[in-house]
């Protein structure tokens, strides 16, 4: 399974289109919030609600089922990284979040905490980043892509 993950595009619809066109073979396209765009404008990305998505009707979190295990997705302004009890509650192995605009991959015990960074307003000395996840029953790989 291949998953494309973006976050914090803050109204930049064109960058989402470019990322989709550069990665046409993904099974799922995830947006971790602060798109500031209606659902039909970010299609095929499915989103969670970010702290700047004031009037948008996205869920606060999503659970994505993969061959490797469940992935918990939220914007990150509610729980933040490192919350293993939250992952256990939903039987998840991976926590995907945005909000900080800084890309990060951290493993704590058997759990992964991953932030794709921001595609439009990075705060990590990049031109913007997003994430490609490839997983099978036995393995998961994370690759950051810089814009």
């Amino acid at each position: 399974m291949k998953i494309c993950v973006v976050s914090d595009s803050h109204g930049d619809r064109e960058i989402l289109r470019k990322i989709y066109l550069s990665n046409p073979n993904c099974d799922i396209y995830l947006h971790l919030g602060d798109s500031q765009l209606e659902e039909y404008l970010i299609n095929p990305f499915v989103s969670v609600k970010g702290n700047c998505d004031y009037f948008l009707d996205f869920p606060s979190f999503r659970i994505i089922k993969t061959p490797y295990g469940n992935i918990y997705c939220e914007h990150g302004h509610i729980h933040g990284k490192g919350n293993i009890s939250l992952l256990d509650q939903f039987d998840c192995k991976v926590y995907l979040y945005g909000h900080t605009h800084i890309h990060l991959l951290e493993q704590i015990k058997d759990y992964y905490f991953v932030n794709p960074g921001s595609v439009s307003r990075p705060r990590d000395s990049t031109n913007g980043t997003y994430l490609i996840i490839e997983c099978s029953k036995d393995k998961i790989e994370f690759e950051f892509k810089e814009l």
Side-chain angles (χ1 to χ4, degrees), residues 39-52:
E39 188 173 10
Y40 75 94
L41 294 173
I42 65 169
N43 188 21
F45 289 89
V46 294
S47 189
V48 295
K49 188 173 186 123
N51 62 302
C52 293

Side-chain angles (χ1 to χ4, degrees), residues 1-77:
M1 175 178 255
K2 191 171 184 178
I3 305 168
C4 179
V5 185
V6 302
S7 190
D8 297 281
S9 55
H10 292 281
D12 192 338
R13 186 174 168 201
E14 183 61 24
I15 196 69
L16 298 177
R17 188 180 79 74
K18 287 179 181 177
I19 291 169
Y20 169 72
L21 291 174
S22 297
N23 300 278
N25 60 341
C26 291
D27 299 297
I28 299 173
Y29 297 86
L30 294 174
H31 197 299
L32 299 177
D34 282 357
S35 69
Q36 297 181 275
L37 294 168
E38 295 285 342
E39 188 173 10
Y40 75 94
L41 294 173
I42 65 169
N43 188 21
F45 289 89
V46 294
S47 189
V48 295
K49 188 173 186 123
N51 62 302
C52 293
D53 293 329
Y54 308 111
F55 304 109
L56 299 173
D57 192 25
F58 296 122
S60 61
F61 72 94
R62 291 181 188 269
I63 306 294
I64 306 298
K65 295 184 182 305
T66 76
Y68 183 77
N70 293 338
I71 298 176
Y72 185 95
C73 308
E74 73 174 8
H75 185 57
H77 64 295

